[in-house]
Amino acid sequence: MEKLLMIKYGELTTKKANRNTFIKILTKNIERVLKDYPVTIKKDRVRMYITCQDEQPVIKALQKIFGLHSIVLCEKVNTNIEDISKKAIELVKNFKTFKIETKRSLKTFPMTSMEISKKVGANVLKNTDLKVDVHNPEITVHVEIRSEGSFIYIDEKKGIGGYPVGIQGKGLLMLSGGIDSPVAGYLALKRGVDLECIYFESPPHTSIEAKNKVLKLAKIINEYSGNIKVHVVPFTKLQEEIYKKVPHTYMITIMRRMMYRIALKVCLKNKLKVIVNGESIGQVASQTLDSMSVINNVVDIPVIRPVACMDKLEIIDLANKIGTYETSILPYEDCCTIFVPKHPIIHPSLKQCIEFEKNFDFEKLVDEAVDNIETISSFKEEEYKDYL
Ligand code: ATP
Ligand code: MG
Protein backbone atom coordinates (compact mmCIF):
# COMPACT_ATOMS: atom_id res chain seq x y z
CA MET A 1 0.00 0.00 0.00
CA GLU A 2 1.23 3.47 -0.84
CA LYS A 3 2.26 5.61 2.15
CA LEU A 4 2.15 9.37 2.40
CA LEU A 5 4.76 11.41 4.25
CA MET A 6 4.25 15.07 4.92
CA ILE A 7 7.34 17.20 5.49
CA LYS A 8 7.34 20.37 7.58
CA TYR A 9 10.12 22.72 6.54
CA GLY A 10 10.76 24.24 9.95
CA GLU A 11 13.15 27.17 10.02
CA LEU A 12 12.74 27.91 6.33
CA THR A 13 9.21 29.08 6.73
CA THR A 14 10.47 32.16 8.56
CA LYS A 15 12.77 33.16 5.70
CA LYS A 16 10.08 34.45 3.40
CA ALA A 17 12.27 36.24 0.85
CA ASN A 18 14.49 33.24 0.23
CA ARG A 19 11.86 30.59 0.50
CA ASN A 20 11.97 29.52 -3.14
CA THR A 21 15.72 28.99 -3.06
CA PHE A 22 15.43 27.13 0.23
CA ILE A 23 12.82 24.78 -1.11
CA LYS A 24 14.70 24.26 -4.38
CA ILE A 25 17.93 23.25 -2.64
CA LEU A 26 16.10 21.19 -0.05
CA THR A 27 14.27 19.29 -2.81
CA LYS A 28 17.54 18.60 -4.60
CA ASN A 29 19.06 17.29 -1.35
CA ILE A 30 16.03 15.12 -0.67
CA GLU A 31 16.06 13.74 -4.22
CA ARG A 32 19.70 12.77 -3.69
CA VAL A 33 19.05 10.64 -0.61
CA LEU A 34 15.89 9.13 -2.05
CA LYS A 35 17.25 8.39 -5.52
CA ASP A 36 17.15 4.63 -4.96
CA TYR A 37 13.58 4.56 -3.67
CA PRO A 38 10.42 4.57 -5.77
CA VAL A 39 8.96 7.83 -4.50
CA THR A 40 7.08 10.79 -5.86
CA ILE A 41 7.71 14.23 -4.42
CA LYS A 42 5.27 17.13 -4.51
CA LYS A 43 5.81 20.43 -2.81
CA ASP A 44 4.29 23.78 -2.10
CA ARG A 45 5.44 26.76 -0.09
CA VAL A 46 4.72 25.25 3.32
CA ARG A 47 4.75 21.49 2.94
CA MET A 48 6.31 18.73 0.91
CA TYR A 49 4.53 15.44 0.26
CA ILE A 50 6.34 12.21 -0.48
CA THR A 51 4.55 9.06 -1.51
CA CYS A 52 6.47 5.85 -1.02
CA GLN A 53 6.04 2.11 -0.55
CA ASP A 54 7.88 1.47 2.70
CA GLU A 55 8.12 4.55 4.88
CA GLN A 56 10.76 3.34 7.37
CA PRO A 57 13.91 3.60 5.19
CA VAL A 58 12.62 6.80 3.63
CA ILE A 59 12.13 8.45 7.04
CA LYS A 60 15.59 7.27 8.08
CA ALA A 61 17.14 8.82 4.98
CA LEU A 62 15.21 12.07 5.50
CA GLN A 63 16.54 12.29 9.04
CA LYS A 64 19.96 13.06 7.57
CA ILE A 65 18.70 16.07 5.65
CA PHE A 66 19.15 19.52 7.14
CA GLY A 67 16.21 21.88 6.72
CA LEU A 68 13.49 19.52 7.89
CA HIS A 69 11.54 20.32 11.02
CA SER A 70 9.58 17.08 11.04
CA ILE A 71 8.31 14.17 9.01
CA VAL A 72 4.82 12.82 9.54
CA LEU A 73 3.26 9.67 8.28
CA CYS A 74 -0.24 10.83 7.41
CA GLU A 75 -3.46 9.94 5.67
CA LYS A 76 -5.14 12.19 3.18
CA VAL A 77 -8.93 12.39 3.14
CA ASN A 78 -11.53 14.62 1.56
CA THR A 79 -12.24 17.77 3.46
CA ASN A 80 -15.49 17.03 5.26
CA ILE A 81 -16.21 16.22 8.89
CA GLU A 82 -17.44 12.66 8.17
CA ASP A 83 -14.30 11.54 6.34
CA ILE A 84 -12.00 13.25 8.84
CA SER A 85 -13.87 11.68 11.78
CA LYS A 86 -13.77 8.23 10.18
CA LYS A 87 -10.00 8.38 9.82
CA ALA A 88 -9.58 9.78 13.36
CA ILE A 89 -11.62 6.89 14.79
CA GLU A 90 -9.44 4.40 12.91
CA LEU A 91 -6.24 5.96 14.26
CA VAL A 92 -7.20 6.15 17.95
CA LYS A 93 -8.72 2.72 18.34
CA ASN A 94 -5.87 1.21 20.41
CA PHE A 95 -5.68 4.05 22.91
CA LYS A 96 -7.63 5.14 25.99
CA THR A 97 -7.45 8.93 26.02
CA PHE A 98 -7.14 11.38 23.15
CA LYS A 99 -7.42 14.91 21.94
CA ILE A 100 -7.90 16.42 18.50
CA GLU A 101 -5.75 19.32 17.35
CA THR A 102 -6.70 21.10 14.16
CA LYS A 103 -4.86 23.51 11.93
CA ARG A 104 -6.97 25.15 9.27
CA SER A 105 -4.99 26.67 6.40
CA LEU A 106 -7.94 26.57 4.05
CA LYS A 107 -9.64 29.70 5.29
CA THR A 108 -12.71 29.16 3.12
CA PHE A 109 -13.66 26.09 5.14
CA PRO A 110 -16.76 27.22 7.07
CA MET A 111 -15.72 26.00 10.55
CA THR A 112 -12.93 27.32 12.80
CA SER A 113 -10.14 25.02 13.97
CA MET A 114 -11.72 24.82 17.41
CA GLU A 115 -15.12 23.87 15.97
CA ILE A 116 -13.55 21.17 13.80
CA SER A 117 -11.67 19.67 16.78
CA LYS A 118 -14.85 19.65 18.87
CA LYS A 119 -16.97 18.07 16.17
CA VAL A 120 -14.42 15.37 15.27
CA GLY A 121 -13.82 14.74 18.99
CA ALA A 122 -17.53 14.29 19.56
CA ASN A 123 -17.68 11.75 16.73
CA VAL A 124 -14.76 9.80 18.22
CA LEU A 125 -16.47 9.76 21.63
CA LYS A 126 -19.71 8.56 20.04
CA ASN A 127 -18.03 5.67 18.21
CA THR A 128 -15.40 4.45 20.69
CA ASP A 129 -14.81 3.94 24.44
CA LEU A 130 -12.06 6.57 24.50
CA LYS A 131 -12.12 9.62 26.75
CA VAL A 132 -10.94 13.13 26.00
CA ASP A 133 -7.92 14.37 27.92
CA VAL A 134 -6.82 17.78 26.71
CA HIS A 135 -3.85 18.11 29.09
CA ASN A 136 -2.20 14.73 28.97
CA PRO A 137 -3.75 12.59 26.23
CA GLU A 138 -2.30 9.23 25.35
CA ILE A 139 -2.69 10.16 21.70
CA THR A 140 -3.14 13.43 19.85
CA VAL A 141 -4.80 13.32 16.46
CA HIS A 142 -3.60 16.16 14.27
CA VAL A 143 -5.88 17.41 11.53
CA GLU A 144 -4.57 19.80 8.89
CA ILE A 145 -7.14 21.28 6.56
CA ARG A 146 -5.33 22.41 3.42
CA SER A 147 -6.51 23.34 -0.06
CA GLU A 148 -5.37 20.02 -1.53
CA GLY A 149 -7.19 17.92 1.07
CA SER A 150 -7.17 17.13 4.76
CA PHE A 151 -4.24 15.39 6.38
CA ILE A 152 -4.60 13.34 9.54
CA TYR A 153 -1.72 12.01 11.60
CA ILE A 154 -0.74 10.86 15.07
CA ASP A 155 2.98 10.37 14.74
CA GLU A 156 5.46 13.16 14.12
CA LYS A 157 9.14 12.27 13.68
CA LYS A 158 11.64 15.01 14.34
CA GLY A 159 13.90 16.14 11.51
CA ILE A 160 17.40 17.40 12.27
CA GLY A 161 16.57 21.06 11.68
CA GLY A 162 19.06 23.55 10.27
CA TYR A 163 19.18 24.94 6.74
CA PRO A 164 19.48 22.97 3.49
CA VAL A 165 23.11 22.13 2.80
CA GLY A 166 24.46 24.38 0.05
CA ILE A 167 22.19 27.35 0.66
CA GLN A 168 25.21 29.32 1.87
CA GLY A 169 27.63 28.04 -0.77
CA LYS A 170 30.72 26.08 0.18
CA GLY A 171 33.49 26.26 2.75
CA LEU A 172 36.72 24.37 3.37
CA LEU A 173 36.80 22.16 6.46
CA MET A 174 40.22 21.51 7.97
CA LEU A 175 39.63 17.87 8.75
CA SER A 176 42.08 16.10 11.03
CA GLY A 177 41.57 12.65 12.47
CA GLY A 178 40.52 14.13 15.81
CA ILE A 179 37.17 14.43 17.54
CA ASP A 180 36.55 18.14 17.04
CA SER A 181 36.86 18.78 13.33
CA PRO A 182 34.20 16.31 12.09
CA VAL A 183 31.79 17.82 14.64
CA ALA A 184 32.71 21.30 13.41
CA GLY A 185 31.97 20.11 9.87
CA TYR A 186 28.59 18.73 10.88
CA LEU A 187 27.64 22.03 12.54
CA ALA A 188 28.69 24.05 9.49
CA LEU A 189 26.65 21.75 7.23
CA LYS A 190 23.72 22.28 9.59
CA ARG A 191 23.86 26.03 8.90
CA GLY A 192 23.69 25.33 5.17
CA VAL A 193 27.42 25.59 4.42
CA ASP A 194 28.39 22.77 2.09
CA LEU A 195 31.97 21.58 2.47
CA GLU A 196 35.11 20.36 0.88
CA CYS A 197 37.78 19.09 3.24
CA ILE A 198 41.49 19.62 3.51
CA TYR A 199 43.79 17.19 5.25
CA PHE A 200 47.51 17.76 5.81
CA GLU A 201 49.54 14.58 5.81
CA SER A 202 53.22 14.09 6.53
CA PRO A 203 54.30 10.67 5.37
CA PRO A 204 56.29 8.80 6.56
CA HIS A 205 55.73 10.54 9.90
CA THR A 206 52.01 9.91 9.49
CA SER A 207 50.67 6.58 8.37
CA ILE A 208 48.32 5.50 5.62
CA GLU A 209 45.94 4.45 8.40
CA ALA A 210 45.78 8.04 9.62
CA LYS A 211 44.76 9.14 6.14
CA ASN A 212 42.23 6.36 5.86
CA LYS A 213 40.73 7.43 9.16
CA VAL A 214 40.26 10.97 7.82
CA LEU A 215 38.58 9.57 4.70
CA LYS A 216 36.28 7.50 6.87
CA LEU A 217 35.32 10.59 8.84
CA ALA A 218 34.75 12.48 5.60
CA LYS A 219 32.54 9.65 4.42
CA ILE A 220 30.41 9.87 7.58
CA ILE A 221 29.84 13.61 7.33
CA ASN A 222 29.30 13.26 3.59
CA GLU A 223 26.01 11.52 4.44
CA TYR A 224 24.73 14.99 5.31
CA SER A 225 26.07 16.57 2.11
CA GLY A 226 26.73 14.22 -0.80
CA ASN A 227 29.23 16.68 -2.32
CA ILE A 228 32.26 16.33 -0.07
CA LYS A 229 35.75 16.02 -1.53
CA VAL A 230 38.97 15.69 0.42
CA HIS A 231 42.07 17.62 -0.65
CA VAL A 232 45.06 15.76 0.74
CA VAL A 233 48.06 18.07 1.08
CA PRO A 234 51.61 16.69 1.16
CA PHE A 235 52.91 18.57 4.20
CA THR A 236 56.11 16.68 5.01
CA LYS A 237 58.64 19.09 3.51
CA LEU A 238 57.12 22.13 5.17
CA GLN A 239 56.90 20.35 8.47
CA GLU A 240 60.53 19.19 8.32
CA GLU A 241 61.76 22.66 7.36
CA ILE A 242 59.84 24.20 10.25
CA TYR A 243 61.34 21.59 12.58
CA LYS A 244 64.85 22.55 11.40
CA LYS A 245 64.52 26.32 11.05
CA VAL A 246 62.09 27.55 13.68
CA PRO A 247 62.56 27.61 17.49
CA HIS A 248 60.58 24.70 18.82
CA THR A 249 58.35 26.83 21.02
CA TYR A 250 57.03 28.48 17.82
CA MET A 251 56.89 25.33 15.72
CA ILE A 252 53.15 24.71 16.08
CA THR A 253 52.25 28.36 15.59
CA ILE A 254 54.23 28.56 12.35
CA MET A 255 52.99 25.16 11.20
CA ARG A 256 49.42 26.30 11.63
CA ARG A 257 50.11 29.53 9.79
CA MET A 258 51.34 27.37 6.89
CA MET A 259 48.18 25.24 7.05
CA TYR A 260 46.04 28.36 6.90
CA ARG A 261 48.03 29.77 3.97
CA ILE A 262 47.52 26.53 2.04
CA ALA A 263 43.85 26.39 3.01
CA LEU A 264 43.37 29.93 1.71
CA LYS A 265 44.89 29.03 -1.65
CA VAL A 266 42.64 25.98 -1.91
CA CYS A 267 39.63 28.16 -1.10
CA LEU A 268 40.49 30.68 -3.81
CA LYS A 269 41.12 27.96 -6.37
CA ASN A 270 37.85 26.15 -5.65
CA LYS A 271 35.60 29.15 -4.92
CA LEU A 272 35.16 28.22 -1.28
CA LYS A 273 34.00 31.13 0.86
CA VAL A 274 35.17 30.31 4.37
CA ILE A 275 37.58 28.12 6.27
CA VAL A 276 35.93 25.91 8.90
CA ASN A 277 37.90 24.14 11.60
CA GLY A 278 37.65 22.35 14.93
CA GLU A 279 39.52 24.85 17.07
CA SER A 280 38.10 25.26 20.54
CA ILE A 281 39.11 28.16 22.76
CA GLY A 282 41.75 27.19 25.29
CA GLN A 283 41.89 23.50 24.35
CA VAL A 284 45.63 23.51 23.54
CA ALA A 285 48.42 26.10 23.28
CA SER A 286 47.61 26.89 19.65
CA GLN A 287 44.01 27.67 20.57
CA THR A 288 44.42 30.52 23.04
CA LEU A 289 42.93 33.72 21.72
CA ASP A 290 46.46 35.11 21.21
CA SER A 291 47.51 32.04 19.22
CA MET A 292 44.33 32.10 17.18
CA SER A 293 44.79 35.72 16.22
CA VAL A 294 48.44 35.27 15.21
CA ILE A 295 47.53 32.20 13.16
CA ASN A 296 44.41 33.77 11.66
CA ASN A 297 46.50 36.75 10.57
CA VAL A 298 47.71 35.01 7.38
CA VAL A 299 44.26 34.74 5.80
CA ASP A 300 41.72 37.33 4.78
CA ILE A 301 38.62 35.20 4.45
CA PRO A 302 36.37 34.34 7.39
CA VAL A 303 37.34 31.42 9.59
CA ILE A 304 34.40 29.70 11.24
CA ARG A 305 35.01 27.69 14.38
CA PRO A 306 31.72 25.99 15.20
CA VAL A 307 33.00 24.25 18.35
CA ALA A 308 35.00 27.24 19.62
CA CYS A 309 32.78 27.72 22.66
CA MET A 310 31.87 24.12 23.40
CA ASP A 311 33.24 21.95 26.21
CA LYS A 312 35.11 18.83 25.14
CA LEU A 313 32.34 16.71 26.69
CA GLU A 314 29.69 18.50 24.65
CA ILE A 315 31.75 17.94 21.51
CA ILE A 316 32.12 14.23 22.38
CA ASP A 317 28.36 13.93 22.90
CA LEU A 318 27.71 15.34 19.48
CA ALA A 319 30.45 13.18 17.92
CA ASN A 320 28.66 10.15 19.34
CA LYS A 321 25.32 11.36 18.04
CA ILE A 322 26.57 11.84 14.48
CA GLY A 323 28.59 8.64 14.52
CA THR A 324 32.15 10.00 14.17
CA TYR A 325 33.43 9.38 17.70
CA GLU A 326 34.37 5.71 17.33
CA THR A 327 36.44 6.49 14.24
CA SER A 328 37.99 9.62 15.75
CA ILE A 329 39.41 7.75 18.72
CA LEU A 330 41.24 5.17 16.58
CA PRO A 331 44.86 5.52 17.65
CA TYR A 332 46.67 6.89 14.59
CA GLU A 333 49.09 9.77 14.89
CA ASP A 334 48.53 12.83 12.80
CA CYS A 335 51.15 15.32 11.76
CA CYS A 336 50.54 17.70 14.65
CA THR A 337 50.96 15.07 17.32
CA ILE A 338 54.33 13.95 15.97
CA PHE A 339 55.97 17.35 15.83
CA VAL A 340 54.67 18.56 19.18
CA PRO A 341 57.27 20.53 21.14
CA LYS A 342 57.53 20.17 24.92
CA HIS A 343 56.67 23.81 25.57
CA PRO A 344 54.63 25.35 22.78
CA ILE A 345 54.20 29.09 23.15
CA ILE A 346 50.83 30.11 24.55
CA HIS A 347 50.99 33.83 23.74
CA PRO A 348 52.96 34.06 20.48
CA SER A 349 53.96 37.39 18.99
CA LEU A 350 53.16 38.16 15.38
CA LYS A 351 56.46 40.00 14.95
CA GLN A 352 58.40 36.93 16.06
CA CYS A 353 56.46 34.68 13.70
CA ILE A 354 57.31 36.94 10.78
CA GLU A 355 60.97 36.93 11.80
CA PHE A 356 61.13 33.12 12.10
CA GLU A 357 59.41 32.66 8.78
CA LYS A 358 62.31 34.52 7.14
CA ASN A 359 64.52 31.54 8.03
CA PHE A 360 63.27 29.51 5.09
CA ASP A 361 61.59 29.95 1.70
CA PHE A 362 58.14 28.97 2.86
CA GLU A 363 56.28 30.46 -0.09
CA LYS A 364 57.93 28.05 -2.49
CA LEU A 365 57.09 25.12 -0.22
CA VAL A 366 53.50 26.29 0.20
CA ASP A 367 53.05 26.52 -3.58
CA GLU A 368 54.66 23.14 -4.06
CA ALA A 369 52.30 21.58 -1.51
CA VAL A 370 49.28 23.14 -3.23
CA ASP A 371 50.48 21.94 -6.65
CA ASN A 372 50.76 18.38 -5.37
CA ILE A 373 47.40 18.06 -3.69
CA GLU A 374 45.59 14.79 -4.25
CA THR A 375 41.83 15.26 -4.37
CA ILE A 376 39.57 12.38 -3.40
CA SER A 377 35.95 12.81 -4.33
CA SER A 378 34.46 9.41 -3.85
CA PHE A 379 34.11 7.43 -0.67
CA LYS A 380 33.09 4.17 -2.25
CA GLU A 381 35.17 1.48 -0.56
CA GLU A 382 36.40 0.12 -3.88
CA GLU A 383 37.70 3.54 -4.90
CA TYR A 384 39.75 4.19 -1.83
CA LYS A 385 40.74 0.63 -1.02
CA ASP A 386 44.37 1.59 -1.70
CA TYR A 387 44.33 3.35 1.64
CA LEU A 388 42.95 0.48 3.64
P1 ATP B 1 40.47 17.67 16.63
O1 ATP B 1 40.62 19.08 17.11
O2 ATP B 1 39.64 17.53 15.41
O3 ATP B 1 40.10 16.75 17.73
P2 ATP B 1 43.14 17.59 16.87
O4 ATP B 1 42.91 17.76 18.31
O5 ATP B 1 44.11 16.61 16.32
O6 ATP B 1 41.83 17.22 16.17
P3 ATP B 1 44.05 20.22 16.94
O7 ATP B 1 45.48 20.07 17.10
O8 ATP B 1 43.17 20.53 18.10
O9 ATP B 1 43.46 18.96 16.22
O10 ATP B 1 43.83 21.25 15.77
C1 ATP B 1 42.72 22.11 15.70
C2 ATP B 1 42.06 22.07 14.37
O11 ATP B 1 42.99 22.27 13.31
C3 ATP B 1 41.44 20.72 14.07
O12 ATP B 1 40.18 20.59 14.66
C4 ATP B 1 41.38 20.76 12.56
O13 ATP B 1 40.30 21.57 12.12
C5 ATP B 1 42.66 21.48 12.20
N1 ATP B 1 43.74 20.49 11.95
C6 ATP B 1 44.69 20.05 12.80
N2 ATP B 1 45.49 19.13 12.21
C7 ATP B 1 45.06 19.00 10.94
C8 ATP B 1 45.46 18.20 9.81
N3 ATP B 1 46.46 17.36 9.86
N4 ATP B 1 44.75 18.33 8.68
C9 ATP B 1 43.71 19.17 8.60
N5 ATP B 1 43.29 19.94 9.61
C10 ATP B 1 43.95 19.86 10.78
MG1 MG C 1 41.31 19.65 19.07
Side-chain angles (χ1 to χ4, degrees), residues 162 213 285:
K213 174 179 163 182

Coordinates of all heavy atoms in Angstrom, one line a residue, residues 162 213 285:
G162 N 18.0 22.9 11.1 CA 19.1 23.5 10.3 C 18.6 24.1 8.9 O 17.3 24.1 8.7
K213 N 41.6 7.0 8.1 CA 40.7 7.4 9.2 C 40.1 8.8 8.8 O 38.8 8.9 9.0 CB 41.6 7.6 10.4 CG 40.9 8.1 11.6 CD 41.9 8.1 12.8 CE 41.4 9.0 13.9 NZ 42.4 9.1 15.0
A285 N 47.7 24.8 23.4 CA 48.4 26.1 23.3 C 48.1 26.9 22.0 O 48.0 28.1 22.0 CB 49.9 25.8 23.3

